[in-house]
Amino acid sequence: MKIDKNSVANINITANPISLPRLFNAFAPKDLRNNFNLFSGELKFNYLLKGKLKKPTTDANFTLTNLKLSDKANSFILSDNKLTGNLDITSKFFLVKILNNDFNLFIPQTKSKINLPKIEIGADKSNIEIAKNEILFNDKTVINYKGSVINYQNPKSIDFSMDSNINTNDIVKLIGKEYSPFIHNAGSLPIELKLTGNKEKQTFFYLL
């Protein structure tokens, strides 16, 4: 059999589903297994390569569901409902899409929580876009964020921003009530972060 630039490929690899705890317990380094618990998580993926080998088309996607892990000391619990990714590549086209739903970080000691209801990231041959979304912090704080990079291989524009009115009770809940005398009880703490620039120069702006 002769393989050359005119040869045609049609390769499809599918895994559905893979238990991450089983992989973790079987193959993770001993130090990781001694320090972390991976309670649940399933991974599915599909890879397709087709067309002439000179100019093949690649399509790959994965889905990670019901992830839950913690450290052995139980200082944090991380969970994630669903993470999906898709990659499309041709000789002239490149597109990546990442979508995550319901990422949670819980700190048992102070019963604090951070929730990202949705994360959306897209990239093509030139640009990266982080869609505007929210981070929910404890009981009353909402943090808004978004970002983009234009021509990321040689950045012409970098623009990332985050803003919020952080509720001071949420801060106290995170660090512990014993530190509450050091926190000014103003109700909310306005905060704004911005990173802008290009390849040559970046500016970081912080307003508190």
Side-chain angles (χ1 to χ4, degrees):
M1 182 176 70
K2 181 181 179 181
I3 300 176
D4 58 28
K5 64 182 181 180
N6 295 315
S7 298
V8 176
N10 189 2
I11 300 171
N12 191 0
I13 301 173
T14 300
N16 182 29
I18 299 171
S19 171
L20 295 185
R22 289 184 181 180
L23 288 179
F24 181 80
N25 292 329
F27 299 109
K30 186 177 180 180
D31 286 347
L32 285 179
R33 287 185 280 115
N34 287 340
N35 289 286
F36 295 95
N37 294 310
L38 181 54
F39 300 106
S40 63
E42 287 188 345
L43 176 66
K44 298 185 288 186
F45 70 84
N46 183 74
Y47 175 83
L48 176 64
L49 176 69
K50 62 182 181 180
K52 289 187 176 182
L53 293 182
K54 183 179 180 181
K55 294 182 178 180
T57 298
T58 298
D59 180 78
N61 58 76
F62 71 88
T63 303
L64 174 62
T65 57
N66 194 30
L67 178 68
K68 185 177 180 180
L69 66 89
S70 73
D71 62 341
K72 294 282 187 177
N74 203 37
S75 63
F76 75 89
I77 300 172
L78 184 152
S79 64
D80 196 46
N81 182 39
K82 187 176 183 181
L83 171 66
T84 60
N86 185 265
L87 171 66
D88 291 320
I89 302 176
T90 69
S91 60
K92 297 181 180 180
F93 183 78
F94 173 86
L95 181 65
V96 176
K97 291 183 178 180
I98 301 292
L99 175 62
N100 197 88
N101 290 301
D102 199 22
F103 173 88
N104 293 278
L105 176 63
F106 180 68
I107 302 174
Q109 184 177 358
T110 60
K111 296 183 179 180
S112 293
K113 57 188 177 182
I114 297 173
N115 171 247
L116 282 74
K118 184 177 288 187
I119 304 170
E120 298 173 277
I121 302 174
D124 57 25
K125 281 188 174 182
S126 301
N127 308 319
I128 298 173
E129 184 79 21
I130 302 173
K132 183 177 181 179
N133 274 303
E134 298 176 340
I135 301 171
L136 308 180
F137 171 49
N138 280 334
D139 302 314
K140 296 181 180 180
T141 298
V142 178
I143 303 169
N144 303 296
Y145 70 92
K146 63 179 180 178
S148 65
V149 180
I150 306 301
N151 192 30
Y152 55 81
Q153 295 184 9
N154 186 23
K156 294 181 179 179
S157 173
I158 301 169
D159 188 358
F160 180 83
S161 65
M162 181 179 292
D163 64 83
S164 178
N165 287 300
I166 300 178
N167 188 279
T168 52
N169 289 330
D170 290 333
I171 298 175
V172 171
K173 186 174 182 178
L174 173 66
I175 64 176
K177 291 183 179 180
E178 62 271 24
Y179 295 101
S180 59
F182 303 100
I183 303 296
H184 178 56
N185 188 15
S188 64
L189 185 65
I191 185 171
E192 184 177 357
L193 303 175
K194 283 188 178 182
L195 175 63
T196 58
N198 51 41
K199 179 184 178 181
E200 304 298 330
K201 182 181 179 180
Q202 298 85 43
T203 301
F204 180 73
F205 174 79
Y206 174 77
L207 178 63
L208 181 62

